[in-house]
Amino acid sequence: MNSLTSYLGHVLGHLRKDLRIEWRSRDSINGMLFFSLLVVVVFSLAFDPTAAVSRQISGGILWVALLFATVTALNQSWTREQNNQVLEAQRMAPAPASALFLGKALANMIFVLVVEAILAPVFIVFYNLHVLGNPWLLAIILPLGTWALVVNGTFFAVLGLRTRNRELLLPLLLLPISLPALLEMVQATTGVLTAELDPLQINTWITQLAGYDIVYTIVCLFLFDTVLNAE
Amino acid sequence: MPIVSRSAIIRSAAWLWFIAALAILAVGFREAIFIAPTEATMGDVQRIFYYHVPSALMGLILPYVNFFASLAYLYWRRRDPLKALSADALALASAEVSIVFVSIGLMTGMLWARASWGIWWTWDARLTTYLLLWLLYVSYLLLRRFSSSGESHTLAAVISVFAAVDVPIVYMSIHWWRTQHPSPVFSGNGSLDASMWPAFLWNVAGWGLWGVFVMLFRFALERRRQLAEQNDALTAIEASLETAP
């Protein structure tokens, strides 16, 4: 019990540090927000959808926009730790490495959730969206899908720290691994927006997405120490 | 009893294996092209089956070799670095060869699909899953290429674990996605006629032997590269010791 509270204390410390750094610059959130806004505009111009079509495709567009925006922000999230050799200090610290990872992933999750909260009204305005299904289901789908992107993205971003072509490597690794999660979140979101899927099917997609989240959170926590200290 | 060095035995065994693989492939070719009966509805095009399925099978088996070699690497990484290096060489070799087989499986499948279904590609469950397998292993090899030599083994082993975890999830989600829209394309896929089994089995054996041969050859090559690297490092250390006052 005591070790658990100290672990959570470490996670909270990392989370607080990341939130404070972000609060001072607000680089990640502003960058992601503008990027996803651009994707929304570009898709609108490219497809010029009617209300019915936009209901069909906006689930996919929302997640593609968030996926690319997340990638741009995640590339930056570990470079902050490289200033003044902070990462080396983290590796020598007696605190568990996975706490560092969890704090960072939670911070990134909060950033993306903020972006989603601002983006959702923009989506509804630009695509003339009128949600036909149960909109409260989106309150489950969005965090689950975001975590699926962020947990693996944070992990793969640290893989790229000491590699060549860092900016290129992250999407090359993240996209193939995330494809099932992307399928699940897009299907569930589109199902809610169009109300064409059976609620039971939407539930199955959400359960699968939750399963993906749980499996990859465990794998990431388990392997993070190996990756951080890879030499 | 004459003393024969270990490498000489391995060398002659490799030659034997190579010749056996070629011979069985030749038998398989004869069986598939000349002896097996022409399929009733698809005609001669169906003969691509004898090459498509063995390649696809190898493309499904070799990723397991990659996964277990990667696990072995992660286990031995700190305990026995020399064993870990050979596990890593095996992981690299199996990943490269499995990409070749998956690519052949995809391409022969496309040729077959074009001839019998009239389309090159469909987002059917089996095809999509297989394409994702290809994508995962290409990204694995890209990571190996991009990362610095010191840590690429570890990072690649970690990604191999991620890919292995991903495959069943991909399989489940995509099957669930596509079974909602049953596609007629696989309805013609019945069981194999008894007269076609010999051609099929000869080709499975031949391509299996060939695939394992190429993988072990690549493994030996990678081991040689690793040993050369180690020797270079040793020479550099010795040279620095000699010049020291």
Side-chain angles (χ1 to χ4, degrees):
Chain A
M1 199 59 218
N2 202 11
S3 65
L4 183 68
T5 45
S6 91
Y7 186 85
L8 287 180
H10 287 304
V11 172
L12 226 72
H14 287 300
L15 176 63
R16 212 178 295 140
K17 168 209 67 181
D18 273 322
L19 290 181
R20 191 177 297 142
I21 296 175
E22 177 61 26
W23 180 251
R24 286 180 186 158
S25 68
R26 286 185 284 274
D27 283 347
S28 287
I29 291 188
N30 284 338
M32 274 197 281
L33 199 61
F34 193 57
F35 187 90
S36 40
L37 191 69
L38 285 177
V39 173
V40 169
V41 172
V42 166
F43 273 108
S44 254
L45 293 179
F47 296 118
D48 193 15
T50 61
V53 172
S54 68
R55 209 173 283 132
Q56 296 276 350
I57 62 171
S58 55
I61 292 175
L62 172 72
W63 284 112
V64 170
L66 284 174
L67 177 64
F68 289 139
T70 312
V71 166
T72 58
L74 286 173
N75 266 324
Q76 307 301 321
S77 76
W78 288 100
T79 29
R80 289 173 173 171
E81 305 283 338
Q82 278 186 317
N83 296 339
N84 306 323
Q85 276 81 45
V86 175
L87 198 65
E88 304 304 318
Q90 302 275 24
R91 288 166 66 180
M92 285 184 280
S98 59
L100 167 66
F101 169 76
L102 209 56
K104 180 76 84 185
L106 284 174
N108 286 329
M109 168 94 167
I110 292 174
F111 302 159
V112 181
L113 283 180
V114 169
V115 171
E116 282 167 12
I118 303 174
L119 202 62
V122 175
F123 241 79
I124 291 174
V125 170
F126 276 8
Y127 285 97
N128 289 318
L129 267 187
H130 174 65
V131 180
L132 294 180
N134 177 6
W136 292 108
L137 277 178
L138 290 176
I140 306 171
I141 299 167
L142 281 173
L144 282 178
T146 309
W147 182 250
L149 296 181
V150 160
V151 72
N152 281 342
T154 310
F155 190 90
F156 295 147
V158 82
L159 287 187
L161 265 187
R162 289 174 294 249
T163 57
R164 292 180 281 138
N165 311 332
R166 181 197 310 149
E167 271 75 22
L168 184 59
L169 187 65
L170 176 61
L172 293 185
L173 294 175
L174 183 61
L175 292 187
I177 299 275
S178 301
L179 281 174
L182 202 66
L183 176 68
E184 286 151 7
M185 52 186 121
V186 169
Q187 290 291 320
T189 313
T190 313
V192 171
L193 291 180
T194 59
E196 278 171 10
L197 273 188
D198 197 280
L200 220 68
Q201 288 180 328
I202 295 178
N203 280 347
T204 315
W205 286 120
I206 294 174
T207 322
Q208 287 192 3
L209 190 57
Y212 180 97
D213 282 357
I214 292 168
V215 167
Y216 274 109
T217 308
I218 292 170
V219 174
C220 286
L221 288 179
F222 196 62
L223 289 174
F224 185 73
D225 192 38
T226 313
V227 165
L228 188 67
N229 295 313
E231 282 303 328
Chain B
M1 189 181 152
I3 298 163
V4 188
S5 74
R6 191 164 147 252
S7 68
I9 295 178
I10 291 177
R11 192 165 296 220
S12 39
W15 270 110
L16 268 179
W17 191 298
F18 178 67
I19 292 165
L22 283 189
I24 292 178
L25 280 177
V27 175
F29 181 78
R30 181 169 168 270
E31 289 273 351
I33 303 295
F34 300 112
I35 296 183
T38 307
E39 211 266 349
T41 51
M42 282 183 273
D44 278 334
V45 169
Q46 183 265 344
R47 294 184 196 276
I48 206 169
F49 165 87
Y50 304 115
Y51 293 90
H52 174 68
V53 177
S55 307
L57 277 179
M58 289 303 284
L60 291 177
I61 293 168
L62 289 178
Y64 283 100
V65 178
N66 172 269
F67 174 55
F68 287 113
S70 300
L71 282 186
Y73 174 81
L74 287 178
Y75 178 77
W76 278 325
R77 194 168 64 101
R78 296 265 183 252
R79 296 175 179 87
D80 191 344
L82 287 179
K83 265 188 199 164
L85 269 183
S86 51
D88 181 65
L90 185 62
L92 173 64
S94 57
E96 287 183 353
V97 179
S98 56
I99 285 189
V100 172
F101 274 112
V102 174
S103 308
I104 294 174
L106 284 172
M107 283 189 284
T108 50
M110 280 185 193
L111 292 176
W112 193 7
R114 176 69 188 162
S116 65
W117 303 336
I119 41 172
W120 293 104
W121 183 264
T122 171
W123 293 98
D124 165 86
R126 207 182 303 198
L127 276 66
T128 313
T129 318
Y130 210 57
L131 180 68
L132 283 187
L133 182 70
W134 188 84
L135 290 176
L136 283 173
Y137 276 92
V138 170
S139 75
Y140 170 87
L141 283 189
L142 275 176
L143 173 71
R144 292 197 75 113
R145 174 142 304 177
F146 282 177
S147 48
S148 60
S149 61
E151 54 172 18
S152 75
H153 313 308
T154 313
L155 300 191
V158 166
I159 283 296
S160 169
V161 173
F162 269 83
V165 172
D166 213 35
V167 168
I169 299 178
V170 166
Y171 186 83
M172 279 192 317
S173 63
I174 291 186
H175 270 250
W176 204 77
W177 177 43
R178 275 313 180 189
T179 42
Q180 297 179 68
H181 314 280
S183 49
V185 286
F186 270 112
S187 57
N189 202 10
S191 58
L192 201 60
D193 189 77
S195 58
M196 292 175 175
W197 274 105
F200 175 61
L201 289 179
W202 278 107
N203 272 302
V204 167
W207 289 108
L209 284 176
W210 175 251
V212 172
F213 175 78
V214 174
M215 186 184 77
L216 291 179
F217 197 80
R218 181 69 185 88
F219 170 74
L221 208 63
E222 179 66 15
R223 284 298 293 158
R224 194 172 280 199
R225 195 196 60 75
Q226 286 175 351
L227 290 177
E229 208 171 60
Q230 283 170 9
N231 283 338
D232 284 351
L234 270 181
T235 330
I237 291 172
E238 278 166 9
S240 71
L241 288 178
E242 275 166 17
T243 50

